[in-house]
Amino acid sequence: MPILKDKSTSAVEIAPGVFRKFIHLDNLMTAIIDFKNGPWDEPEPRHSHPHEQTSFVAKGELIVYIGEEEYQLEEGDVFYVPADVPHTVKILSKEVRLVDNFSPVREDFL
Amino acid sequence: MPILKDKSTSAVEIAPGVFRKFIHLDNLMTAIIDFKNGPWDEPEPRHSHPHEQTSFVAKGELIVYIGEEEYQLEEGDVFYVPADVPHTVKILSKEVRLVDNFSPVREDFL
């Protein structure tokens, strides 16, 4: 099935209070990440990966740290992370939903 | 800037009542498409492209037609379209927001 129905698809809890579900093709993956453990006092440590990433803020408010810069984002905003650039987030609201897109596919999620 | 701020970024009207804005990297593009001309009586004609596509329903309800199948979707749902598979949508609510992701980049959008 080429669809992910949000209400009937269970998510995997990848960290306490953080849930992920995803769909993918050969070279493109879209993951819904629900942070239900906000707000945070501090960002997570930065991480990087060779995959290009774009993320859509479907719900909530957060700060995204990309390289040396930081940006406060709210619902409807989008950010991108070039390959291998360290990045992280700090969740500012009680709940945040990010839609993370990756190319190539994050094989580590499968 | 690696961000698109929704409220301060103007969109291009690509068809009457249909608006698009986007962000992209080398091999990944994310476009916000706002359909403000719903509901529709009929779907648009099917189209296809060699780019892989995933789409997140950020707002509203629609039917997506992928190959010979059709699926009714609502906010929070995701669909994918493999390369070269004919597809289209029929907008069911007054407004729909789709977040369309493509790999490779849709050069025809630039």
Side-chain angles (χ1 to χ4, degrees), chain B residues 9 14 18 24 27-28 35-37 42 47-48 52 54 58 60 73 76-77 89 98 103:
Chain B
T9 304
I14 56 172
V18 183
H24 72 92
N27 295 301
L28 179 61
F35 298 90
K36 300 185 177 183
N37 59 357
E42 298 292 337
H47 68 286
S48 66
E52 291 189 340
T54 63
L73 302 179
D77 295 339
V89 297
L98 283 183
S103 183

Side-chain angles (χ1 to χ4, degrees), chain B residues 11-81:
Chain B
V12 173
E13 189 166 11
I14 56 172
V18 183
F19 300 84
R20 181 173 70 204
K21 45 193 168 184
F22 59 81
I23 203 168
H24 72 92
L25 289 156
D26 291 342
N27 295 301
L28 179 61
M29 170 180 276
T30 291
I32 297 177
I33 317 289
D34 285 307
F35 298 90
K36 300 185 177 183
N37 59 357
W40 298 353
D41 290 330
E42 298 292 337
E44 287 192 328
R46 289 173 195 235
H47 68 286
S48 66
H49 43 70
H51 315 72
E52 291 189 340
Q53 176 180 342
T54 63
S55 296
F56 173 78
V57 183
K59 179 180 183 182
E61 295 183 14
L62 70 154
I63 298 173
V64 61
Y65 305 78
I66 305 169
E68 298 303 310
E69 302 298 322
E70 60 180 82
Y71 307 93
Q72 186 163 338
L73 302 179
E74 61 184 357
E75 183 176 322
D77 295 339
V78 188
F79 65 86
Y80 68 63
V81 182

Side-chain angles (χ1 to χ4, degrees), chain A residues 31-82:
Chain A
I32 295 176
I33 317 289
D34 285 307
F35 299 89
K36 299 185 177 182
N37 59 357
W40 298 353
D41 291 329
E42 298 292 338
E44 288 192 326
R46 289 173 195 236
H47 69 285
S48 65
H49 43 71
H51 316 72
E52 293 188 340
Q53 176 180 341
T54 62
S55 297
F56 173 78
V57 183
K59 180 181 182 180
E61 296 183 15
L62 70 154
I63 297 173
V64 62
Y65 305 78
I66 304 169
E68 297 303 312
E69 303 298 323
E70 60 182 81
Y71 308 93
Q72 186 163 338
L73 302 179
E74 60 185 357
E75 184 176 321
D77 295 339
V78 189
F79 64 89
Y80 67 64
V81 182

